[in-house]
Amino acid sequence: MDDIRYPIGKFKAPETFREEEIKQWIADIRQAPAKLREAVSRLNEEQLNTPYRDGGWTVAQVVHHLADASMNAFLRTKWILTEDVPSIKPFEESEWAKTIEARSLPIEPSLLLLEGLHERWTRLLGSLCPEDFARTFYHEGTKETVPLYVLTALYAWHVKHHTAQIISLRKRKGWN
């Protein structure tokens, strides 16, 4: 089950800041919309409405979730850069995945949103100096203070994680 749920493994937060890792994470975030678009290309309506695992979200819900999560991450990045240790509330991902547009809207609006949002987000991240990545936020859900470099690593992993779930489903189902 973990192989299906975590095809690239679970996220491991980096313990220290390393500039070369930041560059890779930004590149991963920049490339994510194109890789996601490729992962869902040529899928029909029935396939888009197939859960990636038993009890999991459908492929379409995963795409919409990535748009929701990226919007939250972009805003968190902006708050981290413009406020001193902002307090950030979690978003209830499973509840957001149940909203009507996440269950019924075609995926193209979310793919377009990701393309534009990731362009802005990676442009912002690429302009930062190493000290900026040490800035932090307080997460109300986990009660932890988190630096921007960890948030960046998390979302670089996050988009690859969900894209890999879709690719893994395609392979298991023989959807070429």
Side-chain angles (χ1 to χ4, degrees):
M1 175 60 111
D2 265 5
D3 290 345
I4 292 173
R5 192 165 182 195
Y6 297 100
I8 65 168
K10 293 184 179 182
F11 175 69
K12 293 181 183 76
E15 295 180 16
T16 59
F17 172 82
R18 293 204 330 241
E19 204 165 340
E20 60 276 5
E21 288 179 324
I22 284 290
K23 291 176 183 172
Q24 182 58 57
W25 297 328
I26 293 169
D28 291 341
I29 293 168
R30 180 179 294 112
Q31 297 162 7
K35 289 183 177 185
L36 178 63
R37 186 176 284 281
E38 177 61 27
V40 298
S41 68
R42 301 174 309 282
L43 292 180
N44 63 37
E45 198 68 28
E46 181 181 341
Q47 293 166 329
L48 289 169
N49 288 306
T50 300
Y52 77 92
R53 66 174 175 89
D54 288 341
W57 293 334
T58 67
V59 172
Q61 283 175 302
V62 169
V63 172
H64 296 311
H65 163 70
L66 283 169
D68 292 340
S70 290
M71 286 187 288
N72 273 281
F74 177 69
L75 291 173
R76 289 172 176 179
T77 300
K78 298 276 271 191
W79 284 319
I80 291 167
L81 295 171
T82 61
E83 299 176 19
D84 289 330
V85 193
S87 184
I88 296 175
K89 65 178 269 174
F91 75 102
E92 298 298 330
E93 299 173 358
S94 60
E95 294 303 311
W96 286 41
K98 295 176 188 174
T99 60
I100 190 69
E101 92 294 349
R103 290 183 292 112
S104 64
L105 188 71
I107 62 171
E108 186 61 20
S110 285
L111 292 170
L112 290 170
L113 188 152
L114 283 162
E115 289 166 355
L117 183 63
H118 280 231
E119 178 63 31
R120 283 192 63 190
W121 188 15
T122 57
R123 182 73 55 98
L124 174 62
L125 290 170
S127 74
L128 302 179
C129 62
E131 295 77 31
D132 292 326
F133 286 99
R135 294 180 62 93
T136 61
F137 71 94
Y138 176 75
H139 193 283
E140 293 176 8
T142 63
K143 310 291 188 222
E144 295 175 322
T145 301
V146 180
L148 179 56
Y149 74 87
V150 171
L151 178 80
T152 306
L154 172 62
Y155 280 92
W157 170 86
H158 186 251
V159 294
K160 290 192 300 188
H161 159 71
H162 284 301
T163 301
Q165 288 173 333
I166 295 166
I167 292 167
S168 174
L169 173 66
R170 286 185 80 133
K171 287 179 184 170
R172 289 193 317 272
K173 296 283 190 178
W175 299 340
N176 298 323

